[in-house]
Amino acid sequence: MSKVEQQALVSCRGLVKNYGTGNAMVQALRGVDLDVYGGELTMLVGPSGCGKTTLLSILAAILHPTAGEVWALGSNLTALSTAKRTAFRRTNVGFVFQQFNLLPTLTAAENVTVPLVLAGWSKRAALDEAFKLLDRMGMRERGDHLPGQLSGGQQQRVAIARALVHHPRVLVCDEPTSALDHKTGTAILQLLRSIAVEGDRAVMIVTHDSRIFEFADTIASMDDGQIMKVERDRTAFVALSPPADAVPASASSQP
C-alpha cells in the first residue's frame, strides 16, 4: 500500500509552538507538517534546540500547540480538553527515555507494572503481565533484580517493556541509545523495529545518534523549528550510518 493510500496513525498540520511572550517569546515550531505511519520507525533528527523534542511532546499529547492540529488514532488531540488528552496519553502512548527513568527501589518487574497499577490493575495481575513482556525481551530471569543490578542495555529493555505493557499504538523515544554503546544500541533498535512492525505501531524517535539511522523507515530532518526534509530511502540511511568501529563505546556493552 502506498503512503497516498495508507492512513497515518499520527499526523500534524501547521504546528506552531511559542514559549514566552513579547520580546522574550521563542518560536520553537514554525508551521510543521508530518505524517507518521503504523508499522514504521520514524526518526526526528537535527541540531540541538531545533524543536525535535517539542514536536515529539506535542505528537505524544504532552504539550499543546500554539496553533495547528494534531490527529492521532482518529482523534483530534488539539480539540481535546487537558483531562481527555491525559486519558488519551495514558491509554495510547508509551514513553522510552534516554536515562531509562526506572525507580531504583523497585525490581525490574515492578517497574514494568507501574502503568498498569496506575490504571487500577491488581498487583498480582500486573506482575503476571510484566513477566510475560520481560520474557519477550529476554529479561524474565532478571525480573527480580533492582535497576542498579542491571546493565545499561538491560535497563533500557525494562524501560521499553514498561512503555509497552499497556499495549499502546504510539511509542515515543527520546534519545533511547545515546547512553549505550554501539552493540547495545543496535540491539535496542532491532527490538524497536520489530515492535513497530509486529504491532503496527507508530514508533517515533528523537536522536542525534547517526549510528542508528539505518533502522529508520522515515527520517524527518529539522532545523530552526521547521522540517526541512522527509526521506524514506532506507538504502541512503544505511550509507549515512558510520561503521561500528568508527564509533567509540560508551556505557554498558551488554545488550
Side-chain angles (χ1 to χ4, degrees):
M1 184 182 295
S2 70
K3 295 304 173 196
V4 174
E5 300 169 321
Q6 186 179 355
Q7 183 76 31
L9 285 190
V10 182
S11 63
C12 62
R13 294 292 179 268
L15 277 192
V16 173
K17 181 62 178 177
N18 299 331
Y19 295 103
T21 59
N23 293 335
M25 188 186 76
V26 174
Q27 194 167 36
L29 298 178
R30 306 167 182 265
V32 171
D33 298 341
L34 184 65
D35 292 314
V36 182
Y37 296 94
E40 292 192 355
L41 197 155
T42 298
M43 293 187 186
L44 304 177
V45 306
S48 296
C50 72
K52 302 185 302 296
T53 298
T54 295
L55 176 57
L56 190 74
S57 298
I58 292 175
L59 296 179
I62 298 172
L63 293 179
H64 193 66
T66 304
E69 287 190 338
V70 180
W71 289 80
L73 308 179
S75 296
N76 183 351
L77 299 186
T78 41
L80 299 180
S81 66
T82 299
K84 288 184 177 180
R85 284 201 312 275
T86 299
F88 176 92
R89 186 170 66 244
R90 185 185 302 122
T91 302
N92 297 296
V93 184
F95 299 90
V96 179
F97 303 98
Q98 175 181 353
Q99 298 300 332
F100 319 135
N101 287 2
L102 300 178
L103 299 173
T105 59
L106 298 184
T107 66
E110 289 169 340
N111 267 281
V112 176
T113 68
V114 168
L116 299 181
V117 172
L118 292 175
W121 286 49
S122 71
K123 183 175 180 180
R124 182 68 265 163
L127 280 171
D128 288 345
E129 192 71 13
F131 273 105
K132 288 178 188 175
L133 200 46
L134 286 172
D135 190 35
R136 184 192 169 187
M137 302 285 172
M139 289 287 296
R140 186 178 184 90
E141 73 283 359
R142 299 282 186 173
D144 293 324
H145 287 60
L146 295 172
Q149 299 171 310
L150 304 175
S151 71
Q154 289 168 342
Q155 290 184 60
Q156 191 62 290
R157 287 175 183 270
V158 174
I160 292 170
R162 180 183 58 190
L164 292 173
V165 73
H166 59 300
H167 305 291
R169 291 292 306 285
V170 178
L171 185 66
V172 297
C173 310
D174 192 2
E175 299 282 3
T177 62
S178 65
L180 305 175
D181 65 90
H182 179 73
K183 179 181 177 182
T184 306
T186 295
I188 293 300
L189 261 294
Q190 289 171 337
L191 178 60
L192 289 173
R193 280 211 90 239
S194 69
I195 287 166
V197 173
E198 295 169 14
D200 192 32
R201 292 183 174 90
V203 177
M204 296 179 280
I205 296 177
V206 162
T207 185
H208 288 94
D209 190 354
S210 62
R211 301 174 299 174
I212 65 174
F213 286 178
E214 65 183 285
F215 294 97
D217 295 290
T218 299
I219 291 183
S221 300
M222 295 188 67
D223 196 10
D224 196 25
Q226 297 177 303
I227 290 183
M228 311 306 293
K229 182 168 54 174
V230 176
E231 299 175 283
R232 297 185 178 279
D233 182 357
R234 295 201 69 238
T235 304
F237 302 160
V238 173
L240 287 172
S241 298
D245 58 6
V247 183
S250 63
S252 169
S253 61
Q254 299 182 41

